[in-house]
Short mmCIF file of all heavy atoms in Angstrom, two decimals:
data_model
loop_
_atom_site.label_atom_id
_atom_site.label_comp_id
_atom_site.label_asym_id
_atom_site.label_seq_id
_atom_site.Cartn_x
_atom_site.Cartn_y
_atom_site.Cartn_z
N ALA A 20 -78.91 -61.35 -57.63
CA ALA A 20 -79.81 -61.56 -58.76
C ALA A 20 -79.04 -61.95 -60.02
O ALA A 20 -77.87 -61.59 -60.16
CB ALA A 20 -80.62 -60.27 -59.01
N PRO A 21 -79.69 -62.69 -60.92
CA PRO A 21 -79.01 -63.08 -62.16
C PRO A 21 -78.67 -61.85 -63.00
O PRO A 21 -79.54 -61.01 -63.24
CB PRO A 21 -80.04 -63.97 -62.87
CG PRO A 21 -81.36 -63.56 -62.29
CD PRO A 21 -81.08 -63.16 -60.88
N MET A 22 -77.41 -61.75 -63.42
CA MET A 22 -77.00 -60.59 -64.22
C MET A 22 -76.02 -61.00 -65.32
O MET A 22 -74.91 -61.43 -65.03
CB MET A 22 -76.39 -59.51 -63.34
CG MET A 22 -77.43 -58.75 -62.54
SD MET A 22 -76.70 -57.47 -61.54
CE MET A 22 -75.81 -58.44 -60.35
N THR A 23 -76.46 -60.82 -66.55
CA THR A 23 -75.63 -61.06 -67.72
C THR A 23 -74.46 -60.09 -67.72
O THR A 23 -74.64 -58.89 -67.57
CB THR A 23 -76.51 -60.88 -68.98
OG1 THR A 23 -77.45 -61.94 -69.00
CG2 THR A 23 -75.70 -60.89 -70.25
N ARG A 24 -73.24 -60.61 -67.88
CA ARG A 24 -72.06 -59.75 -67.87
C ARG A 24 -71.16 -59.99 -69.10
O ARG A 24 -70.17 -59.28 -69.29
CB ARG A 24 -71.25 -59.96 -66.57
CG ARG A 24 -72.00 -59.71 -65.25
CD ARG A 24 -72.60 -58.31 -65.11
NE ARG A 24 -71.64 -57.25 -65.32
CZ ARG A 24 -70.80 -56.75 -64.41
NH1 ARG A 24 -70.84 -57.22 -63.17
NH2 ARG A 24 -69.96 -55.79 -64.70
N THR A 53 -76.59 -67.21 -61.10
CA THR A 53 -75.70 -66.76 -62.18
C THR A 53 -76.49 -65.97 -63.21
O THR A 53 -77.71 -66.04 -63.28
CB THR A 53 -75.05 -67.93 -62.93
OG1 THR A 53 -76.06 -68.59 -63.72
CG2 THR A 53 -74.38 -68.91 -62.00
N GLU A 54 -75.75 -65.31 -64.05
CA GLU A 54 -76.29 -64.72 -65.27
C GLU A 54 -77.03 -65.79 -66.09
O GLU A 54 -76.74 -66.99 -65.93
CB GLU A 54 -75.14 -64.17 -66.09
CG GLU A 54 -74.10 -65.23 -66.46
CD GLU A 54 -72.70 -64.62 -66.63
OE1 GLU A 54 -72.45 -63.95 -67.66
OE2 GLU A 54 -71.88 -64.83 -65.72
N GLY A 55 -77.92 -65.37 -66.96
CA GLY A 55 -78.63 -66.31 -67.80
C GLY A 55 -77.65 -67.15 -68.62
O GLY A 55 -76.73 -66.62 -69.24
N ALA A 56 -77.87 -68.49 -68.61
CA ALA A 56 -76.99 -69.41 -69.34
C ALA A 56 -77.81 -70.11 -70.41
O ALA A 56 -78.70 -70.90 -70.08
CB ALA A 56 -76.38 -70.42 -68.38
N GLN A 97 -78.91 -69.82 -63.81
CA GLN A 97 -80.17 -69.46 -64.48
C GLN A 97 -80.20 -70.07 -65.88
O GLN A 97 -79.35 -69.74 -66.73
CB GLN A 97 -80.34 -67.94 -64.56
CG GLN A 97 -81.75 -67.59 -65.06
CD GLN A 97 -81.99 -66.11 -65.23
OE1 GLN A 97 -81.21 -65.42 -65.89
NE2 GLN A 97 -83.06 -65.61 -64.65
N TRP A 99 -81.64 -70.47 -69.54
CA TRP A 99 -82.19 -69.41 -70.38
C TRP A 99 -82.40 -69.87 -71.81
O TRP A 99 -81.48 -70.43 -72.43
CB TRP A 99 -81.16 -68.28 -70.36
CG TRP A 99 -81.56 -66.92 -70.82
CD1 TRP A 99 -82.81 -66.40 -70.95
CD2 TRP A 99 -80.64 -65.87 -71.18
NE1 TRP A 99 -82.72 -65.09 -71.36
CE2 TRP A 99 -81.42 -64.75 -71.52
CE3 TRP A 99 -79.25 -65.77 -71.26
CZ2 TRP A 99 -80.85 -63.54 -71.92
CZ3 TRP A 99 -78.69 -64.57 -71.64
CH2 TRP A 99 -79.47 -63.46 -71.98
N GLU A 174 -82.27 -72.16 -61.78
CA GLU A 174 -83.43 -71.26 -61.85
C GLU A 174 -83.85 -71.16 -63.31
O GLU A 174 -83.06 -70.74 -64.15
CB GLU A 174 -83.06 -69.88 -61.30
CG GLU A 174 -84.20 -68.87 -61.45
CD GLU A 174 -83.85 -67.47 -60.98
OE1 GLU A 174 -83.71 -67.26 -59.76
OE2 GLU A 174 -83.70 -66.57 -61.85
N HIS A 176 -85.49 -69.44 -66.36
CA HIS A 176 -85.80 -68.04 -66.68
C HIS A 176 -87.18 -68.00 -67.36
O HIS A 176 -87.30 -68.18 -68.57
CB HIS A 176 -84.73 -67.46 -67.59
CG HIS A 176 -84.70 -65.97 -67.64
ND1 HIS A 176 -85.77 -65.19 -67.26
CD2 HIS A 176 -83.72 -65.09 -68.00
CE1 HIS A 176 -85.45 -63.90 -67.39
NE2 HIS A 176 -84.21 -63.83 -67.83
N ALA A 178 -89.09 -65.31 -67.09
CA ALA A 178 -89.45 -63.89 -66.99
C ALA A 178 -89.04 -63.10 -68.22
O ALA A 178 -88.58 -63.67 -69.21
CB ALA A 178 -88.76 -63.29 -65.74
N HIS A 179 -89.29 -61.78 -68.17
CA HIS A 179 -88.71 -60.78 -69.09
C HIS A 179 -88.93 -61.04 -70.58
O HIS A 179 -88.07 -60.67 -71.39
CB HIS A 179 -87.20 -60.64 -68.82
CG HIS A 179 -86.90 -60.24 -67.40
ND1 HIS A 179 -85.64 -60.21 -66.89
CD2 HIS A 179 -87.71 -59.85 -66.41
CE1 HIS A 179 -85.68 -59.84 -65.62
NE2 HIS A 179 -86.93 -59.61 -65.30
N TYR A 181 -88.82 -63.71 -72.39
CA TYR A 181 -88.05 -64.77 -73.07
C TYR A 181 -88.97 -65.97 -73.34
O TYR A 181 -90.17 -65.88 -73.13
CB TYR A 181 -86.80 -65.11 -72.26
CG TYR A 181 -85.84 -63.92 -72.22
CD1 TYR A 181 -85.60 -63.23 -71.05
CD2 TYR A 181 -85.23 -63.46 -73.40
CE1 TYR A 181 -84.77 -62.12 -71.03
CE2 TYR A 181 -84.40 -62.36 -73.38
CZ TYR A 181 -84.18 -61.68 -72.20
OH TYR A 181 -83.36 -60.58 -72.20
N ARG A 228 -88.13 -68.16 -62.29
CA ARG A 228 -88.28 -66.71 -62.20
C ARG A 228 -89.42 -66.28 -63.12
O ARG A 228 -89.45 -66.65 -64.30
CB ARG A 228 -86.99 -66.00 -62.61
CG ARG A 228 -87.02 -64.52 -62.33
CD ARG A 228 -85.68 -63.84 -62.61
NE ARG A 228 -85.42 -62.84 -61.58
CZ ARG A 228 -84.71 -61.74 -61.77
NH1 ARG A 228 -84.13 -61.49 -62.93
NH2 ARG A 228 -84.53 -60.89 -60.78
N HIS A 264 -89.38 -67.06 -57.86
CA HIS A 264 -88.69 -65.77 -57.88
C HIS A 264 -89.49 -64.77 -58.73
O HIS A 264 -89.76 -65.05 -59.90
CB HIS A 264 -87.30 -66.00 -58.50
CG HIS A 264 -86.39 -64.82 -58.48
ND1 HIS A 264 -85.10 -64.89 -58.95
CD2 HIS A 264 -86.56 -63.56 -58.05
CE1 HIS A 264 -84.52 -63.71 -58.80
NE2 HIS A 264 -85.38 -62.88 -58.27
N SER A 266 -89.45 -61.16 -60.50
CA SER A 266 -88.68 -59.99 -60.90
C SER A 266 -89.67 -58.84 -61.08
O SER A 266 -90.65 -58.96 -61.82
CB SER A 266 -87.96 -60.27 -62.22
OG SER A 266 -87.49 -59.06 -62.78
N GLU A 267 -89.38 -57.74 -60.41
CA GLU A 267 -90.25 -56.56 -60.43
C GLU A 267 -89.43 -55.34 -60.77
O GLU A 267 -88.20 -55.36 -60.64
CB GLU A 267 -90.82 -56.33 -59.01
CG GLU A 267 -91.31 -57.56 -58.33
CD GLU A 267 -91.54 -57.35 -56.83
OE1 GLU A 267 -91.09 -56.33 -56.26
OE2 GLU A 267 -92.16 -58.24 -56.23
N ASN A 268 -90.13 -54.28 -61.13
CA ASN A 268 -89.50 -52.96 -61.12
C ASN A 268 -88.28 -52.82 -62.01
O ASN A 268 -87.25 -52.29 -61.59
CB ASN A 268 -89.14 -52.66 -59.64
CG ASN A 268 -89.10 -51.18 -59.35
OD1 ASN A 268 -89.41 -50.36 -60.22
ND2 ASN A 268 -88.68 -50.81 -58.15
N ILE A 269 -88.35 -53.36 -63.23
CA ILE A 269 -87.30 -53.07 -64.21
C ILE A 269 -87.94 -52.45 -65.44
O ILE A 269 -89.13 -52.68 -65.69
CB ILE A 269 -86.49 -54.32 -64.63
CG1 ILE A 269 -87.37 -55.36 -65.35
CG2 ILE A 269 -85.77 -54.94 -63.46
CD1 ILE A 269 -86.54 -56.36 -66.13
N ALA A 294 -87.13 -59.48 -56.45
CA ALA A 294 -86.00 -58.64 -56.88
C ALA A 294 -86.56 -57.42 -57.58
O ALA A 294 -87.63 -57.47 -58.17
CB ALA A 294 -85.11 -59.42 -57.85
N GLY A 295 -85.80 -56.33 -57.54
CA GLY A 295 -86.18 -55.14 -58.29
C GLY A 295 -86.00 -53.88 -57.50
O GLY A 295 -86.92 -53.43 -56.82
N LYS A 296 -84.78 -53.32 -57.57
CA LYS A 296 -84.45 -52.05 -56.92
C LYS A 296 -84.71 -52.07 -55.40
O LYS A 296 -85.08 -51.06 -54.82
CB LYS A 296 -85.20 -50.90 -57.57
CG LYS A 296 -84.86 -50.73 -59.06
CD LYS A 296 -85.33 -49.39 -59.62
CE LYS A 296 -84.85 -49.19 -61.04
NZ LYS A 296 -85.52 -50.09 -62.02
N TYR A 297 -84.52 -53.23 -54.78
CA TYR A 297 -84.64 -53.27 -53.33
C TYR A 297 -83.41 -52.66 -52.69
O TYR A 297 -82.31 -52.70 -53.24
CB TYR A 297 -84.84 -54.71 -52.83
CG TYR A 297 -86.27 -55.16 -53.01
CD1 TYR A 297 -86.68 -55.78 -54.19
CD2 TYR A 297 -87.23 -54.89 -52.03
CE1 TYR A 297 -88.00 -56.14 -54.38
CE2 TYR A 297 -88.56 -55.26 -52.21
CZ TYR A 297 -88.94 -55.88 -53.39
OH TYR A 297 -90.26 -56.22 -53.58
N ALA A 315 -83.52 -60.63 -53.60
CA ALA A 315 -82.39 -60.63 -54.54
C ALA A 315 -82.03 -59.19 -54.90
O ALA A 315 -82.90 -58.36 -55.17
CB ALA A 315 -82.77 -61.41 -55.81
N PHE A 316 -80.74 -58.92 -54.87
CA PHE A 316 -80.20 -57.60 -55.21
C PHE A 316 -79.31 -57.78 -56.44
O PHE A 316 -78.48 -58.70 -56.47
CB PHE A 316 -79.35 -57.06 -54.08
CG PHE A 316 -80.10 -56.87 -52.77
CD1 PHE A 316 -80.22 -57.91 -51.87
CD2 PHE A 316 -80.68 -55.65 -52.45
CE1 PHE A 316 -80.89 -57.76 -50.66
CE2 PHE A 316 -81.36 -55.47 -51.25
CZ PHE A 316 -81.48 -56.53 -50.36
N GLY A 317 -79.48 -56.91 -57.41
CA GLY A 317 -78.68 -57.00 -58.61
C GLY A 317 -77.53 -56.03 -58.59
O GLY A 317 -76.42 -56.35 -58.14
N GLN A 318 -77.80 -54.82 -59.07
CA GLN A 318 -76.74 -53.84 -59.25
C GLN A 318 -75.89 -53.57 -58.00
O GLN A 318 -74.68 -53.38 -58.14
CB GLN A 318 -77.34 -52.55 -59.80
CG GLN A 318 -77.97 -52.81 -61.17
CD GLN A 318 -78.60 -51.59 -61.78
OE1 GLN A 318 -77.99 -50.55 -61.83
NE2 GLN A 318 -79.82 -51.74 -62.24
N PRO A 319 -76.49 -53.59 -56.79
CA PRO A 319 -75.62 -53.38 -55.62
C PRO A 319 -74.47 -54.40 -55.54
O PRO A 319 -73.38 -54.06 -55.07
CB PRO A 319 -76.57 -53.53 -54.44
CG PRO A 319 -77.91 -53.15 -54.99
CD PRO A 319 -77.92 -53.65 -56.41
N ILE A 321 -72.94 -55.66 -58.11
CA ILE A 321 -71.91 -55.39 -59.14
C ILE A 321 -70.80 -54.53 -58.54
O ILE A 321 -69.61 -54.85 -58.68
CB ILE A 321 -72.53 -54.69 -60.37
CG1 ILE A 321 -73.45 -55.67 -61.10
CG2 ILE A 321 -71.43 -54.16 -61.29
CD1 ILE A 321 -74.08 -55.11 -62.38
N PHE A 347 -71.10 -52.94 -67.75
CA PHE A 347 -72.06 -54.01 -67.46
C PHE A 347 -71.82 -55.23 -68.36
O PHE A 347 -71.74 -56.35 -67.90
CB PHE A 347 -73.49 -53.52 -67.69
CG PHE A 347 -74.13 -52.87 -66.49
CD1 PHE A 347 -73.43 -52.63 -65.32
CD2 PHE A 347 -75.47 -52.47 -66.55
CE1 PHE A 347 -74.03 -52.03 -64.22
CE2 PHE A 347 -76.08 -51.88 -65.46
CZ PHE A 347 -75.37 -51.65 -64.30
N TYR A 348 -71.76 -54.97 -69.69
CA TYR A 348 -71.72 -56.07 -70.66
C TYR A 348 -70.40 -56.06 -71.44
O TYR A 348 -70.05 -55.04 -72.05
CB TYR A 348 -72.87 -55.95 -71.66
CG TYR A 348 -74.22 -55.86 -71.01
CD1 TYR A 348 -74.91 -54.65 -70.95
CD2 TYR A 348 -74.83 -56.99 -70.42
CE1 TYR A 348 -76.15 -54.57 -70.34
CE2 TYR A 348 -76.06 -56.91 -69.82
CZ TYR A 348 -76.72 -55.69 -69.78
OH TYR A 348 -77.94 -55.60 -69.18
C1 FNR B 401 -79.95 -57.95 -65.26
N1 FNR B 401 -81.11 -58.69 -64.98
C2 FNR B 401 -81.22 -59.99 -65.46
N2 FNR B 401 -82.30 -60.77 -65.11
C3 FNR B 401 -82.35 -62.06 -65.46
O1 FNR B 401 -83.32 -62.74 -65.12
N3 FNR B 401 -81.33 -62.63 -66.18
C4 FNR B 401 -80.24 -61.94 -66.60
O2 FNR B 401 -79.34 -62.50 -67.24
C5 FNR B 401 -80.19 -60.56 -66.26
N4 FNR B 401 -79.15 -59.77 -66.67
C6 FNR B 401 -78.97 -58.51 -66.13
C7 FNR B 401 -77.79 -57.81 -66.39
C8 FNR B 401 -77.54 -56.58 -65.78
C9 FNR B 401 -76.26 -55.87 -66.03
C10 FNR B 401 -78.52 -56.03 -64.91
C11 FNR B 401 -78.28 -54.73 -64.20
C12 FNR B 401 -79.70 -56.71 -64.67
C13 FNR B 401 -82.12 -58.17 -64.04
C14 FNR B 401 -81.68 -58.40 -62.59
O3 FNR B 401 -81.69 -59.78 -62.27
C15 FNR B 401 -82.59 -57.68 -61.56
O4 FNR B 401 -83.88 -58.21 -61.63
C16 FNR B 401 -82.63 -56.19 -61.80
O5 FNR B 401 -81.32 -55.66 -61.98
C17 FNR B 401 -83.31 -55.43 -60.68
O6 FNR B 401 -82.62 -55.59 -59.47
P1 FNR B 401 -81.64 -54.43 -58.91
O7 FNR B 401 -80.45 -54.40 -59.80
O8 FNR B 401 -82.42 -53.15 -58.98
O9 FNR B 401 -81.33 -54.86 -57.50
#
Side-chain angles (χ1 to χ4, degrees):
M22 284 181 292
T23 292
R24 302 302 307 276
T53 71
E54 59 209 285
Q97 189 183 51
W99 195 19
E174 175 183 289
H176 198 340
H179 302 172
Y181 294 111
R228 189 174 220 209
H264 186 178
S266 165
E267 314 166 348
N268 207 4
I269 63 163
K296 299 194 174 70
Y297 281 90
F316 299 87
Q318 299 179 48
I321 291 182
F347 272 5
Y348 306 105

